[in-house]
Structure formats: C-alpha cells, structure tokens
Amino acid sequence: MNSAEIFAVFAQETRAQRCPGSLVEPLPHVLRSTPERTDAEGTITFADLPPGREDEVIDEQIAHFARAGRSFEWKVYALDRPSDLYDRLARRGFVSGPVEIFMAYALAHGVAAADRDCGAEIRRIDDERGVRDLVAIQELLHGRPFGWWGAELLTALAQAPASISLYGAYVDGKAVGGARATFPEPGQFAGIYGGSVLPEYRGRGIYSALLRQRLQEAQARGYPFVIVDAAPMSRPILERKGFTPICETWPMRLPVRVA
C-alpha cells in the first residue's frame, strides 16, 4: 500500500473501533470522541467534509463541545479533506501544537536487535503505582498536571486490558522513561504513543529500547503494521528504524466555549 492507501485503511478501521471510557461517534464526516470524564478533552479526527458545507460541519463540532462545556482537540492530518482544514480551524480560534509526522512500520521487516545496553530496566506496567510513575514523567516534561491522563490509563487497564500495554524504563529504581502501545480489534494497526525519556537520561538508547519492546509485542500479536505520531525529535530515530512517513499532522485545540 502507498501512503494514501495506508492512511485510508487506518482511518476506516479506527472508525469501526471503540474506546473504553469514551462515547465514540463515527459521524458521516468526522470521527468524534467524547470522554465520560468531564475533565478530559474531546477529540475530532479523520475529517472528510462535504464541499460547500465545510464550515457548517466545523461549527457543528464546536457547538457540540460548547454544550458539553469542555475543550477538545481536532487532530488534523495533511490527507484530510478539505486541504485547507488547518487554516479554517485557525480562523475559528483553534491553536495548533507542534507539527508531528504520522508514520507507519511494516512488521514484515522484522524487529532489529538492540545495538547496545541502554542501562535501564524496561518494566511492564499494570498497576496504579506504575501509572503514577508515567504521569510523573509527563508532568516533569510538560510542566502541567496529567492526572486526567493517568485516570484514562487506569480505566483502559480495568475495562480492556488486552487493548493496551504500558512500559516504564527504570534506572536504579527511578522511573526515567515511559511509553504505551494500543492493540485495537479488529484492525491491522497497532499504535505506539507517548515514548518519553527525561532529558538527563537521553542518548543512552532508552527510547529505542522502549520502541523495540512495543514492536516485538505487536509482532507477537500478529499485527502487520505499527503506526505512530512522531514528534520532530523522534522522527529521525524512527526513520532509521524503518518507519515510513505518511503525512504531517497537527493537534489543534479550542479552549472551552460554553453554549
């Protein structure tokens, strides 16, 4: 499959899946997810807006989350339609986070062995204490609370444990990195997200060790592809590992607007 075909199949499969703890609505022109927790953001993805009615559909989504009294993220892919979706959202007050690259890896290529010992212990996380470690890492990296995210992880572990795997990297008992993987059913695409390492522990191969662990699990589970939204720092590492860039993607957020 070429890049556009990979994206189309991924979007189609995602629209047919469910997410623990959220109301997922595969609407005609977007996929909308509204978490049960009122402190969590909603999301819109995979826009295919009808010509001549683009702004109408955008306004419908803004109104939906305004009625719910919560903020939301509209994840824009360069392959969405219309091609000027980013600009249309920016004109309505959406603020974009840093550009990321949607990438895919074909597991038929295999999983490369580690080229060195990273010096960290990679642990599978399945309890509240481990989730707190992952939350603490994100809070140190981003300088803002991530308790809502920890609650989402615990919900997923409780309601659909086979659909998610969490990993932590520990040096001398200290949590210094973390990552997660998702395994939706039905689907051909395992997802890898949140690969993070504290700055003072970077350059040792810990990120690659977390990546390899998740690729090996996806391969063992029989998934043909792994997808990732890569930050600029991660892209060169992932390309060296064999990931193929599919398209750019932007997380665009709208502050709370109460209807």
Side-chain angles (χ1 to χ4, degrees), residues 106-259:
L107 283 163
H109 296 160
V111 179
D115 53 4
R116 56 174 168 158
D117 182 2
C118 70
E121 176 191 359
I122 307 301
R123 300 180 190 171
R124 181 74 171 263
I125 289 175
D126 56 9
D127 59 13
E128 185 173 355
R129 179 177 179 178
V131 169
R132 286 201 303 268
D133 288 341
L134 298 185
V135 168
I137 290 168
Q138 294 303 315
E139 291 179 340
L140 286 170
L141 290 173
H142 298 283
R144 56 187 173 90
F146 268 76
W148 59 270
W149 180 64
E152 287 187 353
L153 295 181
L154 290 172
T155 296
L157 287 172
Q159 296 185 4
S163 70
I164 186 170
S165 291
L166 306 176
Y167 292 97
Y170 292 80
V171 175
D172 296 328
K174 176 184 177 180
V176 302
R180 72 187 189 277
T182 59
F183 302 98
E185 292 184 2
Q188 303 179 66
F189 299 88
I192 59 173
Y193 304 99
S196 304
V197 179
L198 295 178
E200 60 269 33
Y201 291 91
R202 292 172 184 165
R204 305 184 183 189
I206 296 174
Y207 178 90
S208 293
L210 289 165
L211 171 65
R212 186 174 60 258
Q213 185 72 44
R214 290 173 291 165
L215 292 179
Q216 288 174 338
E217 182 174 1
Q219 185 180 55
R221 286 176 176 241
Y223 284 83
F225 297 100
V226 172
I227 55 93
V228 61
D229 295 327
M233 183 184 300
S234 302
R235 177 179 179 172
I237 300 173
L238 293 170
E239 284 190 308
R240 289 197 299 271
K241 301 293 185 181
F243 279 76
T244 299
I246 305 299
C247 68
E248 292 182 323
T249 178
W250 299 266
M252 302 191 73
R253 288 182 170 82
L254 188 69
V256 176
R257 297 183 180 183
V258 179

Side-chain angles (χ1 to χ4, degrees), residues 12-24:
Q12 181 182 29
E13 289 188 354
T14 304
R15 288 176 63 85
Q17 295 161 359
R18 294 294 175 262
C19 179
S22 292
L23 171 63
V24 180

Side-chain angles (χ1 to χ4, degrees), residues 14-44:
T14 304
R15 288 176 63 85
Q17 295 161 359
R18 294 294 175 262
C19 179
S22 292
L23 171 63
V24 180
E25 300 172 278
L27 303 175
H29 307 296
V30 297
L31 178 64
R32 184 169 72 197
S33 177
T34 307
E36 296 171 357
R37 292 179 58 90
T38 57
D39 59 345
E41 284 189 332
T43 57
I44 298 288

